[in-house]
Amino acid sequence: MGSSKTVRKLSPVTQVPADIDIANSVEPLHISEIASDLNLTPNHYDLYGKYKAKVLLSVLDEFKEAQGGYYVVVGGITPTPLGEGKSTTTLMSCMFLQVVTCLRQPSQGPTFGIKGGAAGGGYSQVIPMDEFNLHLTGDIHAITAANNLLAAAVDTRIFHEASQSDKALFNRLCPPNKEGKRSFSNIMFRRLKKLGIDETNPDDLTLEEIKRFSRLDIDPSSITWRRVMDVNDRFLRKITIGQGPEEKGMVRETGFDISVASEIMAVLALTTSLEDMRERLGKMVIGNSKANEPITADDLGVGGALTVLMKDAINPTLMQTLEGTPVLVHAGPFANIAHGNSSIVADKIALKLVGPGGFVVTEAGFGSDIGTEKFMNIKCRYSGLTPQCAVIVATVRALKMHGGGPEVVAGRPLDRAYITENVGLVEAGCVNLARHISNTKAYGVNVVVAINMFATDTEAELNAVKKAALDAGAFDAVICTHHAHGGKGAVDLGVAVQKACESVNQPFKFLYPLEISIKKKIEEIARSYGAAGVEYSGQAEKQIEMYSRQGFSNLPICMAKTQYSFSHNAAAKGAPSGFILPIRDVRASVGAGFIYPLVGTMSTMPGLPTRPCFYDIDLDTKTGRVLVYWVIFDRKYWHRSVFDGTERYVRFDRYRRIRYSIYNTVTGDFREAGWDWINEPL
């Protein structure tokens, strides 16, 4: 279906400008043009300004008979803290193939915190980048509202149950109407069914049934549901609530998570329809009763209201790349405690829109041991979709780190080992790439390795990576320069992906069946990491026993562990083996549909650094244009532009002058290029 009518020609310059400058240099097409090329009419979407549109789920019904295209997932090797360009690779695959790209929506936490935006980079971006990174169409705000409504319902129910008799509680839950007749609201029948109570008239309940129906008897110490907000605020990680004089001493400790860590975000990403989302939201477990029975959102009577708040968020947002190709942006679950993938509905819509021979390229968070594994074993189970190809993004820099190179730290110049030729270090680090390839091939898909090239990479180093990838069983391995050259820098990748999709000749396989125990599923995943065994804490044992007894043992597993190593130890690089994987706790996202073991300490509310990114963000009040100024480097404020290892910096001083400098990645020195005045930001 999709066409290439909208694809615009870019004219990349040798010295790649800053991301915001590239983004602002291109006038986006009206989103209706992008939609039209996908054979979407105005009845299929709702406009959100000129450059964004919500694609309605009715598209799935209208195109249900249409044959879908090829399905490609992009993962990576175990990354450095700098990232290896997975998002840019996902976007640049789309700029060659007949494709729709599916990406997660970025959180405002990183945007204003330390990481910055997530629109891609260089000549591989989603535009408008400011709209992509800020608010978008309000999905995360809807998640925030829904999450906090449920949190308020939990504490309110505990408060009212503590101060009322069973009869008084029941009378308020089912008040008589003007004629003196009582009735259950529709959502109450869900709780009645759960309790095995068949009566439909409140007046027919026995005293025992009234008590069971009315009193949830929530154990405050078991509550796992926390409030959320979409900014980084370390001081809300642990708080005390209920200290007001009217709360009558109902004090308890809780905390805030960042909004994208909410289970509602994971529900949005894994749902398949509005009806399915309603069921998942209602099944979310907030804690247990004092009798150790799970308490759900529907028990609290709030599942329907949550769905109302989320009814627009379920529709994915259509945007475009710099080259005018379509992107569906939807959901943004954590890749640690959740599954780290964009939504099922976005992928399904995209597959119908590209049609036979087209491609849907969807990104999985972090390395393939986290994002791709969860894509295969969680997302594919619920979607019923199976990919034909998996792309693994690798860099010489990351492989040198895995081969024993010095520590890589964000904001610190790279050690000389990373910017001078060292084939031996690259070859030693390729054990990491080889394990990612073998693990991914086990699902029955062809694997293509995308080698993101930097200017300091040598031909011998790149050839070493290609050879190692092919020796490990990759279908192909290609060098990519899309950050600097746009679509033409990913042509070879596009050809390789197309051939890989057309050549797949084995059935798709999951890593484990759902019917085995929680422990056996955990241990199967641990073996794929290279672990010799698993060690469970007393708390983990207790939780596994409880979830098994409550009937949740048939859910897939979503491991929460560091993204910087196959093991639980972020410092263990390469392909560690023979270690014992420690499981310190096990929790459940029942509505989303997975059990998540905690391998290490996972922060669900990031903190702000000393010098956050919000210093660099402002608004031109005359034009309404979003301005992105500076980032920090060597304790000075610099505007940073990176082109394959050559980094251009601009420093702003209090006299509104700028100093142009070039950072030499080989010598580690700055070359000053003079001062100039500036009246408007670059």
Side-chain angles (χ1 to χ4, degrees), residues 548-608:
S548 298
R549 180 176 51 78
Q550 291 177 341
F552 304 140
S553 63
N554 63 339
L555 294 175
I557 300 298
C558 186
M559 298 287 272
K561 80 169 185 73
T562 178
Q563 67 269 35
Y564 294 123
S565 174
F566 272 111
S567 77
H568 57 287
N569 178 10
K573 304 304 182 184
S577 61
F579 57 91
I580 302 299
L581 193 73
I583 306 296
R584 69 176 182 86
D585 199 357
V586 176
R587 298 176 187 170
S589 290
V590 176
F594 53 74
I595 301 287
Y596 62 100
L598 300 178
V599 179
T601 301
M602 296 294 146
S603 175
T604 52
M605 171 54 85
L608 290 172

Side-chain angles (χ1 to χ4, degrees), residues 407-420:
E407 184 180 10
V408 176
V409 180
R412 184 186 302 171
L414 290 169
D415 187 273
R416 286 182 60 85
Y418 295 103
I419 52 180
T420 56

Side-chain angles (χ1 to χ4, degrees), residues 55-125:
V55 180
L56 306 178
L57 293 193
S58 57
V59 170
L60 285 174
D61 293 327
E62 186 164 335
F63 293 97
K64 64 182 178 181
E65 301 301 326
Q67 185 178 346
Y70 292 114
Y71 196 30
V72 181
V73 60
V74 178
I77 63 171
T78 307
T80 69
L82 306 179
E84 313 316 312
K86 200 162 67 274
S87 295
T88 59
T89 301
T90 305
L91 288 166
M92 294 316 303
S93 297
C94 89
M95 293 186 183
F96 172 67
L97 301 169
Q98 188 61 47
V99 76
V100 173
T101 300
C102 295
L103 293 178
R104 287 180 292 168
Q105 178 184 347
S107 164
Q108 289 179 170
T111 297
F112 291 113
I114 193 169
K115 181 182 177 183
Y123 289 98
S124 175
Q125 295 188 54

Side-chain angles (χ1 to χ4, degrees), residues 204-466:
D204 292 338
L205 266 62
T206 66
L207 291 177
E208 177 60 27
E209 288 173 337
I210 286 174
K211 179 176 182 178
R212 293 173 60 216
F213 169 78
S214 304
R215 195 164 294 280
L216 301 182
D217 203 24
I218 298 169
D219 179 0
S221 68
S222 75
I223 296 172
T224 55
W225 199 264
R226 290 155 58 97
R227 288 159 175 82
V228 300
M229 61 190 306
D230 195 36
V231 296
N232 295 356
D233 192 343
R234 68 178 70 245
F235 289 96
L236 293 179
R237 290 171 180 167
K238 188 175 182 180
I239 63 170
T240 302
I241 61 172
Q243 297 188 86
E246 296 181 356
E247 277 61 66
K248 302 177 182 178
M250 302 295 294
V251 175
R252 72 177 182 90
E253 287 188 350
T254 181
F256 274 76
D257 296 330
I258 196 164
S259 295
V260 290
S262 170
E263 184 179 347
I264 297 178
M265 175 62 87
V267 166
L268 179 65
L270 288 172
T271 195
T272 55
S273 67
L274 192 60
E275 294 79 10
D276 179 64
M277 184 174 74
R278 170 64 186 88
E279 294 305 311
R280 288 176 180 271
L281 292 173
K283 289 178 181 177
M284 293 188 304
V285 173
I286 59 88
N288 297 324
S289 70
K290 292 175 182 176
N292 228 16
E293 296 299 324
I295 303 298
T296 68
D298 274 346
D299 287 327
L300 287 156
V302 73
L306 301 181
T307 309
V308 170
L309 287 171
M310 294 292 294
K311 68 180 178 64
D312 296 321
I314 196 173
N315 300 313
T317 301
L318 180 65
M319 296 189 74
Q320 62 190 285
T321 66
L322 284 166
E323 298 189 38
T325 57
V327 180
L328 284 177
V329 185
H330 203 207
F334 261 28
N336 291 110
I337 65 165
H339 64 293
N341 282 257
S342 62
S343 76
I344 286 173
V345 293
D347 289 0
K348 284 191 167 186
I349 288 172
L351 284 164
K352 294 297 185 183
L353 295 180
V354 298
F359 294 80
V360 170
V361 181
T362 189
E363 181 187 356
F366 294 141
S368 67
D369 57 318
I370 295 182
T372 304
E373 182 270 310
K374 295 172 182 178
F375 170 87
M376 302 292 189
N377 291 305
I378 300 175
K379 185 176 179 181
C380 288
R381 286 187 197 273
Y382 288 122
S383 70
L385 303 173
T386 56
Q388 290 76 42
C389 175
V391 175
I392 295 178
V393 178
T395 62
V396 166
R397 175 181 67 196
L399 292 171
K400 284 182 174 180
M401 178 190 72
H402 288 294
E407 184 180 10
V408 176
V409 180
R412 184 186 302 171
L414 290 169
D415 187 273
R416 286 182 60 85
Y418 295 103
I419 52 180
T420 56
E421 183 174 279
N422 191 325
V423 176
L425 207 58
V426 174
E427 290 175 336
C430 281
V431 295
N432 183 269
L433 173 60
R435 182 175 289 172
H436 283 289
I437 292 171
S438 62
N439 282 359
T440 306
K441 281 189 63 181
Y443 295 104
V445 300
N446 283 333
V447 173
V448 173
V449 175
I451 308 167
N452 279 350
M453 177 181 160
F454 292 88
T456 53
D457 298 342
T458 68
E459 184 178 359
E461 290 173 331
L462 294 168
N463 286 338
V465 180
K466 289 183 68 174

